[in-house]
């Protein structure tokens, strides 16, 4: 089954905060940092997102190429190019998220 990236309209979300500061994504088998197709190191950021009505919140782990510098837990963030992707492995299924960039409002914290 081919995995299809599904674009997420972040404009339909309410609050988006950094819940867990950026960390390098590590390959579980090799223990080495992961890289994307262009050779950029992949980082993971925990984001707390609320629905526009503010009634529900979720924490999602989002992969992003390049270090999103200057992000700290509790800080509002902007997310560009967010997509969701279904995965299946060893009888388990889930949903993963990746973004082109996660930045502080006003452009700070861009990936390198």
């Amino acid at each position: 089954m081919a995995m299809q990236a599904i674009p997420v309209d972040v404009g339909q979300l309410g609050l988006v905060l950094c819940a867990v500061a950026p960390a390098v994504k590590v390959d579980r088998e090799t223990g080495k940092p992961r890289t994307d197709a262009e050779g950029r190191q992949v980082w993971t950021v925990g984001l707390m997102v609320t629905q526009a009505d503010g009634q529900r919140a979720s924490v999602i782990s989002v992969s992003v190429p390049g270090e999103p510098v200057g992000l700290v837990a509790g800080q509002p963030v902007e997310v560009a190019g967010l997509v969701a992707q279904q995965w299946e492995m060893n009888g388990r299924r889930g949903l993963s998220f990746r973004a082109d960039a996660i930045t502080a409002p006003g452009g700070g914290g861009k990936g390198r």
Side-chain angles (χ1 to χ4, degrees), residues 7-16 48-58 60 77-82:
V8 176
D9 182 358
V10 294
Q12 295 298 310
L13 297 175
L15 200 58
V16 181
M48 190 210 51
V49 297
T50 65
Q51 292 189 3
D53 63 9
Q55 297 297 312
R56 287 180 279 180
S58 299
I60 60 173
V77 296
E78 294 174 352
V79 182
L82 183 64

Side-chain angles (χ1 to χ4, degrees), residues 3 16 23 29 58 62 64 67-68 71 84 92-93 102-105 108 111:
M3 294 193 306
V16 181
E29 292 180 16
S58 299
V62 180
V64 62
E67 180 181 3
L71 299 185
R92 296 176 45 216
R93 294 180 181 186
I102 300 174
T103 59

Side-chain angles (χ1 to χ4, degrees), residues 74-110:
Q75 173 184 35
V77 296
E78 294 174 352
V79 182
L82 183 64
V83 295
Q85 196 161 20
Q86 292 182 318
W87 58 267
E88 184 175 347
M89 186 183 317
N90 300 325
R92 296 176 45 216
R93 294 180 181 186
L95 195 60
S96 64
F97 296 90
R98 65 179 166 80
D100 293 333
I102 300 174
T103 59
K110 288 186 191 257

